[in-house]
Amino acid sequence: MLMGEVVRGVVVDRALLEYGIEQPENFKSNPRISLLRKLRFSDIHTAISYELPLSDEQVNLLQTMAELHSFKCLPLSASSSDIAPSEIAQAWAHISGTILYLIPNQDGSPKISCTCFSIAPDAALHKSNRIYMDKLEELPLTICRLNKKAISKDVVTVGYVMKPSREEDFAKRGAFPMCPTPNGLIFLPLTFELPIATQLEEVDVILHKATDEIVSIELNSSSEPSYRIDYSNGMQELQRYIKSQNHCFEVDPLISIYPVLDRLKIQLILLGLEDLNAAGSCKVRAPHFLKVNSFDEPDLVQRLHDAELSLPSIVKPQVACGVADAHSMAIVFRVEDFKHLSVPLPAVIQEYIDHSSTLFKFYVLGERVFHAVKKSIPNADILIKSSEKNGSKPLLFDSLKSLPTAPANSEGRDLCLDLGLVNKAAEWLSKMLGLTIFGFDVVIQEGSGDHVVVDVNYLPSFKEVPDDVAVPAFWDAIKKKVDSKVVKQ
């Protein structure tokens, strides 16, 4: 097979979709429709075929489904692997490459028959062959095998796993193509619906958002970071396979991701930023902080003073992600209000920094660093005035859903971002954490100009950066990690 013969189109017989009499608004939740959406996000032409004649009601339902997801509808005279390819070739004469046509196996077995055939630029139908699948979920694996064979053995297959909503966010921006990228990557969505070992036989490197597969986290009550993490059965199986063989590895292994799960651990690491600072210039630093196991501690006032914390302060769960209440936070204005605070324990009390409602989000993709500016929580004086109207009670919020905002007529001061300083911090963090793809948030303190790193996270969406810039940098970061691993071996 040649480069021009990678998979360019997939036609799936309607009988394989099991869409029944679903209403159009439910199509997206159908896992088989979601699978076909992954093909469209990879710029693979996708169609649902049906055999004539078919009732008007069924045709209308199919067309509605297709239009919702940018699929095509292909009426065929017969659902036959002998007749249909010629009709598909005529309908898709503008496509040059390999086409897959999937129908229920006609000998009565539960297998799926997949006819592979090539369409040349002159719309001529080349010789076809047939392969079989047990389940439609094997389709991405089949496509990746064919594409790897079509190009060369040097292509790198990246197997990835994360929750569906996150996967779709990346995929619809073109970040996870099953067809090869310019630097030779093919992305394969891993599924726990199939044996992991079979899928990983085709994989060279694994990209995962492991926090999406956390079932529970237990933190100890000591002052030192320590935790027990339970992952889903699928993630445990994936980790066992990685440990038992050497042919594939993780872009970022679990051991490197652990610090971003624990806000105390991250705070302790960020203290090392002080080493980057030079006399006579603004500095980059961690916020002042204090870990508490109970809000009823009798010496809490003294401990806050010793930690250089004044009120208001922001209170965050020590667990940073992977559990339901990891983002349940509070801003506290009075010491007595710690007593009945509903933020999960253990918690980290963190310095609240006046930063003119401006947050700088930084994204590290290998050797490239990008940033975006976002609206943030207002300064303390505005928060205090707002809280006084509510009896100065703590301000509770979920940082993933909605942040406290400033009045529309309040204006922040212009802040001067020292990009060189933050880039040094990004390089330092990359080495300290051993991560390839991560993000961190910076606020600039009014008055001092201190650049304070207030949050670090793994595999962020980086959607504030234009896709035509960020996505190639994302691919390059993965490819360079693979190349460096090969050199070490």
Side-chain angles (χ1 to χ4, degrees), residues 6-11 39 43-47 92 95 97-101 117 143:
V6 297
V7 175
R8 300 295 185 190
V10 172
V11 180
L39 308 184
D43 287 332
I44 295 174
H45 296 269
T46 307
W92 278 356
I95 300 174
T98 296
I99 308 297
L100 307 184
Y101 174 53
F117 58 95
I143 291 173

Side-chain angles (χ1 to χ4, degrees), residues 187-262:
F187 286 83
L188 171 64
L190 301 177
T191 173
F192 298 136
E193 299 297 316
L194 300 173
I196 283 292
T198 302
Q199 297 171 78
L200 294 188
E201 288 175 1
E202 303 296 327
V203 168
D204 302 297
V205 60
I206 299 165
L207 176 74
H208 56 65
K209 183 77 169 179
T211 54
D212 289 346
E213 296 298 325
I214 291 175
V215 176
S216 65
I217 299 180
E218 292 181 16
L219 296 170
N220 72 3
S221 58
S222 71
S223 60
E224 292 298 318
S226 178
Y227 31 75
R228 174 187 170 184
I229 303 171
D230 290 327
Y231 290 99
S232 66
N233 292 335
M235 193 66 191
Q236 292 181 49
E237 183 185 357
L238 179 63
Q239 290 301 309
R240 284 194 296 269
Y241 185 89
I242 293 169
K243 290 178 182 178
S244 69
Q245 52 74 51
N246 296 317
H247 87 270
C248 69
F249 63 94
E250 298 156 292
V251 172
D252 287 314
L254 282 184
I255 193 170
S256 297
I257 296 170
Y258 285 153
V260 304
L261 305 179
D262 186 342

Side-chain angles (χ1 to χ4, degrees), residues 116-355:
C116 312
F117 58 95
S118 297
I119 303 177
D122 58 1
L125 181 64
H126 287 192
K127 184 177 179 181
S128 64
N129 64 296
R130 194 172 304 167
I131 56 179
Y132 295 94
M133 304 178 205
D134 291 318
K135 304 169 72 174
L136 190 62
E137 287 75 13
E138 296 174 27
L139 179 57
L141 184 61
T142 299
I143 291 173
C144 287
R145 282 173 176 161
L146 292 172
N147 284 346
K148 196 162 188 174
K149 183 180 178 181
I151 305 166
S152 74
K153 293 182 179 180
D154 296 330
V155 172
V156 174
T157 301
V158 183
Y160 65 90
V161 59
M162 57 190 66
K163 65 182 180 181
S165 60
R166 194 184 312 277
E167 176 186 4
E168 177 141 330
D169 178 65
F170 275 98
K172 69 184 179 183
R173 290 152 56 201
F176 292 154
M178 296 181 203
C179 296
T181 66
N183 65 344
L185 303 181
I186 291 176
F187 286 83
L188 171 64
L190 301 177
T191 173
F192 298 136
E193 299 297 316
L194 300 173
I196 283 292
T198 302
Q199 297 171 78
L200 294 188
E201 288 175 1
E202 303 296 327
V203 168
D204 302 297
V205 60
I206 299 165
L207 176 74
H208 56 65
K209 183 77 169 179
T211 54
D212 289 346
E213 296 298 325
I214 291 175
V215 176
S216 65
I217 299 180
E218 292 181 16
L219 296 170
N220 72 3
S221 58
S222 71
S223 60
E224 292 298 318
S226 178
Y227 31 75
R228 174 187 170 184
I229 303 171
D230 290 327
Y231 290 99
S232 66
N233 292 335
M235 193 66 191
Q236 292 181 49
E237 183 185 357
L238 179 63
Q239 290 301 309
R240 284 194 296 269
Y241 185 89
I242 293 169
K243 290 178 182 178
S244 69
Q245 52 74 51
N246 296 317
H247 87 270
C248 69
F249 63 94
E250 298 156 292
V251 172
D252 287 314
L254 282 184
I255 193 170
S256 297
I257 296 170
Y258 285 153
V260 304
L261 305 179
D262 186 342
R263 290 190 174 97
L264 176 61
K265 177 66 174 175
I266 281 293
Q267 291 280 179
L268 294 170
I269 290 173
L270 291 176
L271 292 175
L273 288 169
E274 293 285 349
D275 296 337
L276 303 180
N277 297 320
S281 61
C282 62
K283 63 180 181 179
V284 61
R285 66 175 178 88
H288 304 309
F289 69 95
L290 173 68
K291 177 187 173 178
V292 291
N293 294 316
S294 169
F295 293 124
D296 293 327
E297 295 179 8
D299 59 345
L300 182 59
V301 173
Q302 184 60 48
R303 292 189 67 206
L304 289 170
H305 179 268
D306 294 343
E308 300 181 57
L309 287 167
S310 59
L311 298 180
S313 292
I314 187 166
V315 186
K316 306 177 180 180
Q318 184 178 340
V319 177
C321 54
V323 295
D325 53 7
H327 300 278
S328 298
M329 302 181 183
I331 298 173
V332 178
F333 302 93
R334 303 179 304 186
V335 172
E336 57 265 32
D337 288 328
F338 279 107
K339 195 165 188 179
H340 302 292
L341 201 61
S342 60
V343 174
L345 290 164
V348 174
I349 303 174
Q350 192 180 90
E351 171 188 12
Y352 190 84
I353 297 158
D354 283 344
H355 57 291

Side-chain angles (χ1 to χ4, degrees), residues 452-467:
V452 186
V453 180
V454 293
D455 191 23
V456 181
N457 55 89
Y458 174 64
L459 194 58
S461 67
F462 53 82
K463 58 186 174 185
E464 291 88 359
V465 184
D467 293 340

